[in-house]
C-alpha cells in the first residue's frame, strides 16, 4: 500500500506568496527575492510531507499564479499580444503579464481570461487556442522543480495537467476548428517534457484528468484512448497515475479503467458509490488510488469509514495495488489548523472536528498504518481521537438543534409560494410604491473607503467603542442617503458600510457558523478567501439587518431597499457540513433569511433584495444532476422570499451569469425584480430573458462597476435602447452591474449622475413616442 498527495497548497502558511507577489508587482522587491520565497514554500511543503511519511510527494504543484498558466507557458502557447513582452522580459514577468495584463512602457495589453476551476472557487487562466496553434517547450519550470525536489532528497512525482484536460479547459479564439484537433501538435511537447523528466530520474508522472469525471463527447473519449496509448508506447517504463476528481467516473468508467496507466485515482468523497463498480471491472495491470480524505472541506476524516473502503479494495485487488490519497489536490484546503490558536475565534469544541491540509497529510499516513495492521502508538491514539471526534459530532448539542430540524421538516410548498401571482403583485406594488418608468436603483454597496475599513479594524481592535463606530457608520449612511436623494435615484440603499463581506456579515450573526483566523484558500493569483465554516444547524437568534435598514429608511421619504444575501450564496461561499445534504443546510439558511425578510417588512421596509450571485456556480458538473440541484436551490430562495405581503417587492441580484440554460429556473424564483450584470456583454445576456418572454421586472446593468472607467450618459442610453428592443419598457429598471464597494466615490458619483440622466431621458423619449402614437 502506498500513500500520495495530489498537490499541496502553495500560498504559504502565512500567505507568504501573496505578500511576496504583491510586493514584487508594486516594485518593492526584486525577482530574486520573489523566487526565493517560492522556493522556500516548495521546500517547506516537501519537508512536511517527507516528515509525515508520505510515499509519493508531488512536485510542480507549486505555482506563482496558477497551474494552468504554468502549463500554458511550459507549452509555449503564448498569445500573440504578449510576444513583444516575451522577447524583452524575464519569463516570470511575461507570466504575470499574461495573468494580469500589462500597462507600462507605452504598452496596454489585456490579461488572459480567468474562469472557475470546475465547481470550486479557484479560478484558472483559460488557454487561448488559434486554428493553427503551435506548441513548443518554452518554460523549464516542471524540470527545474523536479531537480530542486531531488536536491532536497525527494524523488518527487511531477504533477502535470493531462493533455486532454489541458485542451478541454481552453477556448478557441477563432472559428473553424475543434480544439481537440490540436492534440497532434500538442502531444510531441508532452513527450519532450516526459523525456526530460525521465532523463533526470523521474519514475512517476501524475496526469490530472478531471474531465474524465465530466460529460465527454465521443471524439474526446476516442482521443483519450489514442493519446494515452501513444504516451505509453513512448514511455513503457514511466509509471503513470491518471488522476480524476470532483466527480464520479460514471459513464466514463470503462474508458478510464481501460487507459494504459499504472494507477487510476478516483474521488471517493464526491462519489463513494463508484468503488464497488470499479473493483468489479478493474484490469489486473491497474492499481487504484482511493481519494478518501476530503480535499475540498475542513472536516476530520472518518477513519472507520475510510478503513472500510481500504479493506474492501485490499480484499479485491491486494494491498500492493492500493494507494491512499486525498480526494483531490489540497490546494482547496486551508494550510494548517495548528495556527488557529485564538480560542475566542475558533472554539476548541469545534476545532476538534476539523483538519486542514497539514492534518490531512497526517490522516493519510495514519490510515495507511492502521490499514496495514502495523499501527504504532501515535496512529492508534489518533484512531481513538478520531473516533471520539466523529462520534461527538453526531450528537453534539452545539450542532444539533431539534427545533431547526423540525421547522425544516414542517416546511411545505405553501411556504415557498407568494400569496398571489406576479401579475397581481405588480399592480398592488405599484399602488404602494408609485415608481416611475425606468426606475433607478443600485445593487447595494457604496464605496468601502479606506476610512470605512479603518473604522472597522479599529473597532475590532477595541480602539473605537461600539458607540463611536456606530456613529461613524450612521454619518456615512446618512451622507449616502442624502446624496442619492440629491441626484434623484428612485430606490435608495443604505450603502452596506457595516458589512465586511456579504456572507461573513450574516454568518457572524447566525448560529451554526464558525470562523477561522488563518483558514485562507487561494481564489486566484494572490487573492485568497477565508470562507466561514457551517458546522451546525443554522438558526437566527436575532434580526441582522433591521437596525441599519430602519435607520436609513427613517432618514428619507423615499423607498430604501433592504439588503440580504440569499441562502444559496451563503451556502456556496462557505465550508459546509458533510454530515447532512447541502440541500438541508440550504433550507435552514433559507428559513433564517425568511425571518429576516419578514422582520424587515414589519419594520416598514417595502422593497427587499435577496442577492443570489452564486446560484449558477452551484450547478453540478454533470448536466444530468442539474435539475435536482436547481429544484432545491430555487425552492430555498422562494422560502426566504415568500413570507411577505403581495405589496412588498422582492428583488434578487445575480452577476457573472449566463442565463440561457437556466432561465426557466430563474423565472421559477419568482422575484418581482431581478438585476443582472449585462454591460460587458452589451446586453447580450438579456437575450435569454427576451427569448423566454421573462414575465417579471428586470434591471440589466448599464455600467460595468469592475472598472474605474466612468461611462457616459450616451453609452448608457444606448444600452437602454438595446434593452428596450428586447424587453418591454414597463418591465425595465436602470442600475449598475453590481455593488459599488470596490469603487471610489468620485467615479461612482459621476457614473450614477449620468445613469440617472440616462434613465430620465429614456423615460421621456418613451412617453413622447407613446403620445405620438395615441
Ligand atoms: N449587495 C451586494 C453589493 O452590492 C451584492 C454583491 C454581489 O453581487 N457580489 O455589494
Ligand atoms: Zn453582483
Amino acid at each position: 500500500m502506498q500513500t500520495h498527495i495530489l498537490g499541496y497548497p502553495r500560498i504559504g502558511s502565512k500567505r507568504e506568496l501573496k505578500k511576496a507577489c504583491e510586493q514584487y508587482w508594486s516594485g518593492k522587491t526584486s525577482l530574486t527575492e520573489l523566487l526565493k520565497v517560492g522556493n522556500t514554500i516548495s521546500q517547506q511543503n516537501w519537508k512536511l510531507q517527507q516528515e509525515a511519511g508520505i510515499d509519493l510527494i508531488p512536485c510542480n504543484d507549486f505555482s506563482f499564479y496558477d497551474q494552468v498558466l504554468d502549463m500554458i507557458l511550459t507549452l509555449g502557447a503564448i498569445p500573440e499580444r504578449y510576444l513583444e513582452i516575451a522577447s524583452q522580459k524575464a519569463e516570470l514577468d511575461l507570466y504575470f503579464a499574461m495573468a494580469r495584463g500589462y500597462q507600462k512602457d507605452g504598452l496596454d495589453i489585456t490579461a488572459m481570461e480567468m474562469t472557475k476551476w470546475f465547481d470550486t472557487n479557484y479560478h484558472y487562466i483559460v488557454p487561448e487556442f488559434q486554428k493553427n496553434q503551435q506548441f513548443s517547450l518554452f518554460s523549464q519550470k516542471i524540470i527545474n522543480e523536479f531537480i530542486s525536489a531531488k536536491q532536497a532528497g525527494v524523488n518527487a512525482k511531477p504533477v502535470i495537467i493531462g493533455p486532454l484536460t489541458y485542451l478541454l479547459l481552453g477556448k478557441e479564439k477563432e472559428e473553424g476548428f475543434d480544439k481537440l484537433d490540436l492534440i497532434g501538435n500538442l502531444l510531441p511537447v508532452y513527450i519532450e517534457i516526459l523525456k526530460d523528466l525521465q532523463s533526470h530520474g523521474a519514475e512517476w508522472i501524475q496526469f490530472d484528468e478531471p474531465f474524465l469525471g465530466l460529460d465527454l463527447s465521443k471524439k474526446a473519449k476516442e482521443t483519450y484512448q489514442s493519446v494515452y496509448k501513444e504516451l505509453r508506447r513512448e514511455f513503457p517504463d514511466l509509471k503513470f497515475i491518471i488522476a480524476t476528481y470532483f466527480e464520479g467516473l460514471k459513464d466514463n468508467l470503462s474508458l478510464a479503467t481501460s487507459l494504459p496507466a499504472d494507477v487510476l485515482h478516483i474521488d471517493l468523497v464526491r462519489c463513494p458509490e463508484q468503488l464497488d463498480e470499479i473493483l468489479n471491472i478493474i484490469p489486473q495491470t491497474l492499481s487504484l488510488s482511493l481519494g478518501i480524505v476530503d480535499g475540498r472541506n475542513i472536516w476530520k476524516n472518518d477513519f472507520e469509514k475510510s478503513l472500510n473502503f481500504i479493506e474492501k479494495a485490499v480484499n479485491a485487488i491486494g494491498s500492493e495495488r492500493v494507494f491512499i490519497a486525498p480526494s483531490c489536490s489540497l490546494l482547496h484546503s486551508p494550510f494548517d489548523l495548528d495556527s488557529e490558536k485564538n480560542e475566542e475565534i475558533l472554539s476548541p469544541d469545534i476545532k476538534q472536528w476539523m483538519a486542514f491540509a497539514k492534518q490531512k497529510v497526517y490522516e493519510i499516513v495514519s490510515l495507511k498504518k492502521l490499514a496495514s495492521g502495523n499501527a504504532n502508538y501515535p496512529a492508534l491514539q489518533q484512531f481513538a481521537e478520531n473516533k471520539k471526534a466523529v462520534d461527538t459530532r453526531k450528537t453534539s448539542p452545539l450542532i444539533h438543534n431539534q427545533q431547526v430540524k423540525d421547522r425544516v421538516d414542517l416546511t411545505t410548498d405553501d411556504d415557498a409560494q407568494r400569496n398571489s401571482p406576479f401579475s397581481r403583485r405588480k399592480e398592488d406594488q405599484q399602488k404602494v410604491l408609485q415608481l416611475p418608468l425606468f426606475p433607478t436603483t443600485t445593487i447595494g454597496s457604496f464605496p468601502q473607503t479606506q476610512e470605512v475599513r479603518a473604522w472597522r479594524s479599529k473597532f475590532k481592535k477595541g480602539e473605537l467603542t461600539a458607540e463611536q463606530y456606530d456613529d461613524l457608520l450612521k454619518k456615512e449612511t446618512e451622507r449616502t442617503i442624502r446624496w442619492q436623494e440629491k441626484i434623484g435615484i428612485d430606490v435608495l440603499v443604505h450603502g452596506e458600510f457595516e458589512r465586511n463581506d456579504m456572507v461573513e456579515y450574516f454568518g457572524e450573526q447566525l448560529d451554526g457558523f464558525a470562523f477561522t483566523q488563518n483558514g485562507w484558500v487561494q481564489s486566484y493569483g494572490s487573492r485568497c478567501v477565508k470562507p466561514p465554516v457551517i458546522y451546525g444547524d443554522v438558526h437566527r437568534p436575532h434580526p441582522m439587518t433591521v437596525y441599519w435598514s430602519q435607520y436609513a429608511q427613517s432618514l428619507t421619504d423615499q423607498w430604501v431597499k433592504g439588503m440580504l444575501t440569499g441562502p444559496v450564496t451563503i451556502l456556496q461561499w462557505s465550508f459546509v457540513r458533510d454530515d447532512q445534504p447541502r440541500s438541508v443546510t440550504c433550507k435552514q439558511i433559507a428559513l433564517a433569511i425568511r425571518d429576516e425578510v419578514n422582520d424587515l417588512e414589519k419594520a416598514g421596509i417595502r422593497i427587499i433584495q435577496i442577492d443570489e450571485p452564486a446560484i449558477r456556480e452551484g450547478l453540478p458538473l454533470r448536466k444530468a444532476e442539474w435539475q435536482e440541484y436547481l429544484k432545491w436551490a430555487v425552492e430555498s430562495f422562494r422560502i426566504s422570499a415568500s413570507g411577505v405581503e403581495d405589496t412588498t417587492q422582492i428583488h434578487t441580484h445575480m452577476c457573472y451569469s449566463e442565463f440561457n440554460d437556466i432561465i426557466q429556473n430563474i423565472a421559477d424564483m419568482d422575484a418581482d425584480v431581478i438585476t443582472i450584470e449585462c454591460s460587458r456583454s452589451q446586453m447580450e445576456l438579456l437575450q435569454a430573458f427576451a427569448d423566454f418572454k421573462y414575465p417579471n421586472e428586470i434591471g440589466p446593468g448599464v455600467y460595468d462597476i469592475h472598472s474605474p472607467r466612468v461611462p457616459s450618459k450616451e453609452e448608457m442610453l444606448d444600452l437602454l435602447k438595446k434593452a428596450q428592443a428586447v424587453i418591454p419598457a414597463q418591465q425595465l429598471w436602470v442600475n449598475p452591474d453590481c455593488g459599488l464597494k470596490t469603487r471610489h466615490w468620485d467615479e461612482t458619483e459621476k457614473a450614477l449622475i449620468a445613469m440617472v440622466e440616462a434613465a430620465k431621458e429614456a423615460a421621456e423619449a418613451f412617453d413622447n413616442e407613446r403620445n405620438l402614437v395615441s
Side-chain angles (χ1 to χ4, degrees):
M1 207 178 305
Q2 297 208 54
T3 54
H4 73 132
I5 300 295
L6 272 61
Y8 205 74
R10 60 227 179 180
I11 204 79
S13 60
K14 297 185 187 68
R15 286 185 294 157
E16 297 90 326
L17 186 63
K18 171 194 176 64
K19 289 163 202 161
C21 281
E22 287 172 1
Q23 288 205 328
Y24 177 66
W25 296 337
S26 66
K28 285 187 200 128
T29 48
S30 66
L31 188 59
T32 325
E33 277 300 307
L34 177 61
L35 291 169
K36 212 163 93 192
V37 173
N39 187 260
T40 309
I41 293 173
S42 290
Q43 300 286 344
Q44 282 166 349
N45 289 354
W46 290 326
K47 189 155 168 248
L48 187 149
Q49 294 173 71
Q50 219 174 6
E51 282 174 3
I54 293 289
D55 298 317
L56 279 178
I57 297 172
C59 71
N60 199 42
D61 54 341
F62 176 80
S63 176
F64 278 104
Y65 202 94
D66 165 46
Q67 70 271 15
V68 181
L69 183 59
D70 292 350
M71 204 57 217
I72 297 172
L73 210 64
T74 300
L75 297 166
I78 304 158
E80 226 176 63
R81 61 187 183 280
Y82 303 106
L83 289 185
E84 199 175 334
I85 303 180
S87 62
Q88 296 167 8
K89 301 271 174 197
E91 185 180 303
L92 205 56
D93 290 328
L94 165 67
Y95 175 86
F96 286 137
M98 289 161 72
R100 310 177 61 237
Y102 193 87
Q103 277 99 8
K104 252 196 294 196
D105 325 328
L107 294 170
D108 183 1
I109 310 172
T110 53
M112 293 180 77
E113 196 184 316
M114 195 166 67
T115 196
K116 281 195 184 255
W117 179 247
F118 300 90
D119 58 353
T120 72
N121 221 336
Y122 176 80
H123 301 68
Y124 72 94
I125 302 280
V126 181
E128 296 178 9
F129 298 135
Q130 304 296 329
K131 198 167 172 178
N132 62 350
Q133 182 70 50
Q134 301 299 312
F135 302 96
S136 64
L137 184 54
F138 183 83
S139 165
Q140 297 285 330
K141 172 189 179 260
I142 185 166
I143 320 285
N144 294 341
E145 265 196 47
F146 179 78
I147 295 171
S148 126
K150 204 163 148 188
Q151 282 161 358
V154 176
N155 191 3
K157 162 192 68 170
V159 176
I160 187 166
I161 293 174
L164 265 292
T165 288
Y166 177 73
L167 288 180
L168 291 169
L169 286 170
K171 201 164 163 181
E172 290 125 353
K173 296 302 262 191
E174 55 187 341
E175 308 240 313
F177 76 106
D178 175 352
K179 58 192 177 183
L180 282 177
D181 293 333
L182 299 175
I183 194 72
N185 291 351
L186 181 65
L187 210 53
V189 190
Y190 269 79
I191 292 173
E192 197 180 341
I193 296 167
L194 298 192
K195 276 197 179 135
D196 253 6
L197 286 168
Q198 199 175 27
S199 74
H200 284 95
E203 291 167 16
W204 291 89
I205 302 287
Q206 173 184 317
F207 295 99
D208 277 5
E209 289 286 10
F211 272 96
L212 282 169
L214 272 59
D215 300 320
L216 289 175
S217 67
K218 189 162 163 268
K219 182 168 172 184
K221 290 182 192 180
E222 286 164 6
T223 315
Y224 261 113
Q225 298 275 15
S226 58
V227 161
Y228 280 93
K229 222 190 213 160
E230 180 158 355
L231 287 173
R232 176 47 83 208
R233 194 165 350 111
E234 290 283 337
F235 301 96
D237 301 327
L238 262 182
K239 287 184 213 135
F240 291 171
I241 301 178
I242 294 183
T244 69
Y245 39 81
F246 303 150
E247 246 302 355
L249 294 169
K250 300 188 178 156
D251 58 325
N252 301 328
L253 185 71
S254 61
L255 165 67
T257 49
S258 73
L259 297 176
D262 296 276
V263 183
L264 175 67
H265 173 84
I266 54 171
D267 185 339
L268 289 175
V269 173
R270 206 32 99 73
C271 190
E273 58 281 9
Q274 62 182 333
L275 182 61
D276 286 331
E277 217 181 321
I278 293 182
L279 291 175
N280 277 336
I281 68 159
I282 189 167
Q284 288 271 328
T285 48
L286 188 60
S287 296
L288 194 61
S289 162
L290 313 174
I292 38 181
V293 168
D294 195 346
R296 297 273 301 266
N297 213 332
I298 43 68
W299 303 111
K300 246 187 200 153
N301 186 251
D302 181 341
F303 277 6
E304 233 165 39
K305 212 164 119 191
S306 295
L307 288 169
N308 280 337
F309 279 124
I310 299 173
E311 193 180 288
K312 196 182 252 179
V314 168
N315 288 342
I317 60 175
S319 62
E320 333 66 61
R321 283 169 64 201
V322 172
F323 287 65
I324 312 175
S327 59
C328 60
S329 167
L330 296 174
L331 172 66
H332 311 289
S333 300
F335 231 86
D336 183 3
L337 189 64
D338 291 342
S339 53
E340 298 300 319
K341 294 209 165 68
N342 187 336
E343 299 192 351
E344 267 164 40
I345 295 181
L346 184 65
S347 101
D349 296 330
I350 294 166
K351 187 178 162 186
Q352 61 155 337
W353 296 321
M354 294 164 59
F356 290 179
K358 183 174 117 191
Q359 287 69 34
K360 288 172 193 287
V361 166
Y362 280 88
E363 287 185 335
I364 297 284
V365 174
S366 295
L367 280 169
K368 172 177 162 179
K369 286 186 184 145
L370 292 161
S372 22
N374 59 3
N376 51 6
Y377 175 70
L380 286 172
Q381 195 191 13
Q382 216 187 349
F383 181 76
E385 270 171 23
N386 181 278
K387 187 161 167 44
K388 193 174 137 231
V390 170
D391 286 347
T392 56
R393 237 185 112 199
K394 286 188 186 132
T395 53
S396 168
L398 275 176
I399 295 181
H400 302 279
N401 178 336
Q402 196 52 46
Q403 270 174 338
V404 173
K405 294 186 205 295
D406 291 346
R407 192 167 170 214
V408 169
D409 289 343
L410 290 172
T411 312
T412 63
D413 288 349
D414 256 9
D415 296 316
Q417 186 73 45
R418 298 284 299 266
N419 296 333
S420 309
F422 172 72
S423 54
R424 178 70 197 278
R425 300 198 306 264
K426 181 170 166 123
E427 277 174 34
D428 290 352
Q429 286 165 17
Q430 186 51 15
K431 274 182 210 141
V432 178
L433 300 174
Q434 301 270 329
L435 292 168
L437 198 61
F438 297 112
T440 49
T441 191
T442 61
I443 306 306
S445 57
F446 265 81
Q448 285 253 339
T449 53
Q450 290 283 351
E451 247 187 326
V452 173
R453 274 181 270 147
W455 299 337
R456 183 156 41 249
S457 96
K458 279 190 184 159
F459 169 57
K460 283 201 168 152
K461 281 188 223 141
E463 291 165 23
L464 282 177
T465 65
E467 222 167 69
Q468 287 169 321
Y469 178 56
D470 194 72
D471 267 358
L472 289 165
L473 292 179
K474 276 189 171 153
K475 288 210 182 85
E476 192 73 1
T477 306
E478 174 160 18
R479 196 167 77 84
T480 304
I481 292 281
R482 296 283 167 256
W483 186 79
Q484 293 171 86
E485 283 177 323
K486 192 177 97 195
I487 71 155
I489 291 194
D490 297 306
V491 173
L492 315 190
V493 295
H494 75 281
E496 300 181 21
F497 302 111
E498 75 286 7
R499 301 182 191 180
N500 35 4
D501 170 274
M502 65 185 290
V503 171
E504 197 172 49
Y505 183 74
F506 290 90
E508 277 173 348
Q509 301 190 70
L510 290 166
D511 290 345
F513 281 76
F515 293 85
T516 64
Q517 225 177 341
N518 295 297
W520 297 102
V521 180
Q522 193 174 11
S523 171
Y524 62 88
S526 68
R527 212 187 122 76
C528 300
V529 292
K530 193 155 63 73
V533 176
I534 306 179
Y535 67 88
D537 289 331
V538 176
H539 172 250
R540 188 195 71 140
H542 51 71
M544 303 181 283
T545 64
V546 175
Y547 179 81
W548 286 108
S549 288
Q550 205 167 23
Y551 169 70
Q553 184 65 81
S554 77
L555 299 169
T556 174
D557 293 333
Q558 276 179 261
W559 301 115
V560 177
K561 184 160 64 165
M563 280 298 151
L564 303 172
T565 303
V568 185
T569 299
I570 293 180
L571 180 86
Q572 207 49 44
W573 291 351
S574 301
F575 284 119
V576 294
R577 294 171 67 167
D578 61 353
D579 58 345
Q580 71 183 17
R582 298 167 76 80
S583 56
V584 175
T585 307
C586 197
K587 261 192 201 165
Q588 294 182 350
I589 307 170
L591 287 166
I593 299 296
R594 177 189 179 93
D595 292 346
E596 186 70 15
V597 170
N598 295 354
D599 279 349
L600 282 170
E601 182 185 59
K602 261 187 238 147
I605 306 300
R606 284 282 160 273
I607 305 180
I608 301 166
Q609 177 171 311
I610 307 170
D611 290 325
E612 283 291 21
I615 211 158
R616 193 190 160 94
E617 65 184 62
L619 281 175
L621 293 168
R622 295 273 197 159
K623 239 188 168 139
E625 282 146 39
W626 279 22
Q627 284 315 316
E628 196 211 321
Y629 158 78
L630 286 164
K631 187 169 179 292
W632 60 255
V634 169
E635 194 193 356
S636 295
F637 177 85
R638 291 176 62 126
I639 289 171
S640 67
S642 296
V644 290
E645 299 296 328
D646 285 346
T647 45
T648 296
Q649 188 172 63
I650 298 289
H651 290 218
T652 190
H653 164 73
M654 289 179 198
C655 32
Y656 316 112
S657 282
E658 283 210 22
F659 302 99
N660 285 304
D661 44 8
I662 56 165
I663 187 76
Q664 175 68 56
N665 311 92
I666 291 176
D668 290 344
M669 288 167 72
D670 198 24
D672 298 305
V673 182
I674 182 172
T675 54
I676 55 170
E677 177 189 318
C678 242
S679 71
R680 272 188 287 189
S681 74
Q682 291 286 308
M683 298 286 145
E684 261 171 41
L685 287 175
L686 210 51
Q687 196 58 45
F689 290 83
D691 294 343
F692 183 78
K693 302 209 169 20
Y694 182 79
N696 302 14
E697 295 179 26
I698 316 175
V702 291
Y703 86 82
D704 178 13
I705 60 90
H706 300 93
S707 139
R709 201 178 148 266
V710 176
S712 67
K713 178 185 80 183
E714 287 68 30
E715 261 169 71
M716 291 190 268
L717 253 174
D718 207 44
L719 288 176
L720 271 176
K721 286 211 185 96
K722 282 192 176 146
Q724 272 181 80
V726 290
I727 304 275
Q730 289 84 348
Q731 266 174 272
L732 285 172
W733 284 63
V734 180
N735 46 265
D737 266 342
C738 192
L740 299 161
K741 76 172 175 206
T742 55
R743 297 271 59 88
H744 294 291
W745 268 102
D746 52 344
E747 310 142 22
T748 301
E749 287 179 357
K750 288 184 195 132
L752 286 180
I753 289 171
M755 183 189 89
V756 171
E757 281 171 8
K760 289 211 174 105
E761 259 177 52
E764 275 161 28
F766 185 80
D767 274 341
N768 288 343
E769 233 166 84
R770 203 161 34 184
N771 293 340
L772 271 182
V773 173
S774 60

